[in-house]
Amino acid sequence: MKKIPVIFACVTLIIGYMAAVQFQSHAEPETRDTRNMAELRQALMAEKERQQELNEEISRQQEILNQLEETEDVEDVMADVIENLQEQAGLTEVTGEGLVIQIDLEFDHNYTGGAISSIPPYLLRLLINDLNIQGAEHIAVGNERIVSTTAIREANGRTLVNGNWLSYFPVEIKVITNDPESLHHAIMSSQSREMFLYENMNFSSNPVNSLTLPAFDKNYRTRFMEPVQEGS
Amino acid sequence: MWLPFLGLLIGLILGFLTDIRVSEHYAPYLSIAVLAALDTLAGGSRAYLENQFDEKVFITGFFTNIFLAAGLAFLGVHLGVDLYLAAIFAFGVRLFKNIAVIRRLLLSKWK
């Protein structure tokens, strides 16, 4: 009779084992992190950069706060801040060193498609994204300044930027950046250039020492924000 | 009395330590095997309390039930009929019945 608990123990052991395996197979997370070392490092770098940006932002705001607290004449500081913000938002003309990118058509001999009237919006967005990634500070397409709410879309086969028609070819994109030379090399070897070639377009870029970008001439359309009333 | 619980504990620890994972494809077989094993365990406990326990019947029943259940599920998958439901139903009903009998037996013993 002494054998019975042992047999039971063996059976429960098997049950426990099976239950554990089953539990483990189900407890596996749905999406696994399959990033390798290099990708993880990249992600870490991106986060560090973001942290640095945030820290800089904090110190800048702190500085403004200190100025406001120290000076009697608050209006000057406020005006400075507003000017600074306006510049960042693209409401003022900006001048600086940068890059002029000229987009033109480029057909090979056996091109059989129809006429091309303007740059497709997705290509323009791709190029602008590429420029932003590579460190562009201010961008203007033709005479249209690109701001955070700029819409690039297509209507009747033509591309609109900020609600205005894009000019016919060649289209000029002006970019202001700290390091025109490296942006030039980056953009000339970028993937967006390849995509332009697929669409029978090509662009060339020239670093220039001084160029002026027009201001954003429309009103910002803020739909989901409203000013906070003082005291409320 | 505590030996079966120790066995269960060791089994769980072993299972978690070995880090074996079955693919999602085979998970139903394993779950049905667990159910069959639980059913056999309940049946065995009942037989033990009724003093009718036969270790040969118990051990053969344990393995036959597991493989029959898994085989039925396998057959069901290949025939496109949910045959495993039959196994789950049979084992489920028997499990509850056995546990009810065990409860009665334990209650009568406790009195």
Side-chain angles (χ1 to χ4, degrees):
Chain A
M1 255 349 215
K2 196 77 186 144
K3 257 159 73 182
I4 292 171
V6 179
I7 294 170
F8 271 96
C10 290
V11 168
T12 49
L13 190 136
I14 295 171
I15 292 174
Y17 187 77
M18 288 198 293
V21 168
Q22 173 82 347
F23 185 75
Q24 224 167 13
S25 323
H26 268 263
E28 198 176 356
E30 289 287 308
T31 49
R32 278 190 295 172
D33 197 348
T34 53
R35 291 180 293 179
N36 63 20
M37 197 73 135
E39 284 167 324
L40 283 171
R41 281 222 179 96
Q42 216 168 2
L44 187 65
M45 283 298 288
E47 288 303 321
K48 273 187 181 162
E49 264 172 41
R50 169 124 183 87
Q51 192 188 10
Q52 199 182 343
E53 270 172 32
L54 289 173
N55 281 340
E56 278 169 15
E57 180 75 25
I58 288 171
S59 63
R60 205 167 54 235
Q61 300 294 349
Q62 198 71 45
E63 203 179 312
I64 292 171
L65 187 67
N66 284 345
Q67 274 180 354
L68 285 172
E69 277 171 353
E70 278 168 18
T71 49
E72 295 286 306
D73 190 14
V74 180
E75 264 177 40
D76 271 355
V77 182
M78 291 295 273
D80 271 358
V81 171
I82 286 172
E83 206 174 299
N84 200 358
L85 286 174
Q86 274 180 338
E87 196 190 310
Q88 274 179 28
L91 295 171
T92 57
E93 276 192 0
V94 276
T95 307
E97 57 176 350
L99 212 63
V100 177
I101 299 171
Q102 202 154 42
I103 304 171
D104 210 344
L105 292 168
E106 188 179 87
F107 297 112
D108 56 358
H109 296 296
N110 30 23
Y111 177 75
T112 52
I116 298 170
S117 59
S118 64
I119 307 167
Y122 84 92
L123 268 185
L124 203 55
R125 270 183 236 128
L126 189 71
L127 179 63
I128 288 168
N129 284 342
D130 259 353
L131 286 168
N132 278 328
I133 290 165
Q134 303 294 345
E137 276 169 19
H138 305 280
I139 303 172
V141 176
N143 268 328
E144 294 302 329
R145 180 71 176 273
I146 305 293
V147 296
S148 55
T149 57
T150 291
I152 300 170
R153 51 169 85 99
E154 188 197 296
N156 291 342
R158 283 186 67 184
T159 304
L160 297 147
V161 178
N162 281 341
N164 291 332
W165 301 118
L166 200 63
S167 61
Y168 284 107
F169 291 100
V171 175
E172 219 175 48
I173 296 179
K174 292 179 195 156
V175 186
I176 285 184
T177 174
N178 284 334
D179 191 358
E181 200 60 38
S182 73
L183 183 61
H184 165 74
H185 291 303
I187 211 68
M188 290 310 276
S189 57
S190 67
Q191 208 198 344
S192 53
R193 186 150 184 245
E194 230 166 89
M195 300 301 282
F196 271 83
L197 286 171
Y198 287 138
E199 296 274 356
N200 297 300
M201 288 168 224
N202 198 358
F203 59 74
S204 58
S205 83
N206 295 310
V208 285
N209 284 333
S210 171
L211 79 169
T212 304
L213 263 56
F216 180 64
D217 53 0
K218 296 198 172 60
N219 284 328
Y220 258 105
R221 202 175 74 168
T222 40
R223 290 168 63 196
F224 303 111
M225 282 196 288
E226 49 189 49
V228 178
Q229 298 297 323
E230 207 171 336
S232 68
Chain B
M1 192 61 204
W2 46 267
L3 210 54
F5 292 101
L6 189 73
L8 186 70
L9 201 70
I10 293 173
L12 281 172
I13 291 169
L14 262 178
F16 281 118
L17 283 184
T18 45
D19 204 38
I20 292 175
R21 284 189 179 150
V22 286
S23 74
E24 203 137 308
H25 212 69
Y26 299 114
Y29 301 122
L30 193 61
S31 61
I32 214 167
V34 172
L35 188 64
L38 281 176
D39 170 61
T40 318
L41 189 69
S45 313
R46 176 194 169 176
Y48 176 67
L49 289 171
E50 286 175 339
N51 290 323
Q52 290 175 336
F53 186 80
D54 182 343
E55 55 197 57
K56 285 196 190 98
V57 172
F58 180 67
I59 291 172
T60 50
F62 180 71
F63 288 108
T64 334
N65 273 350
I66 288 179
F67 287 111
L68 189 70
L72 209 60
F74 177 78
L75 192 70
V77 167
H78 282 261
L79 290 178
V81 185
D82 293 338
L83 278 183
Y84 72 94
L85 286 176
I88 287 183
F89 181 71
F91 289 135
V93 168
R94 221 166 61 183
L95 194 64
F96 277 110
K97 215 161 80 184
N98 281 335
I99 288 172
V101 173
I102 292 169
R103 182 168 45 89
R104 269 157 228 252
L105 285 171
L106 285 178
L107 274 178
S108 63
K109 269 193 183 177
W110 184 53
K111 274 182 201 166

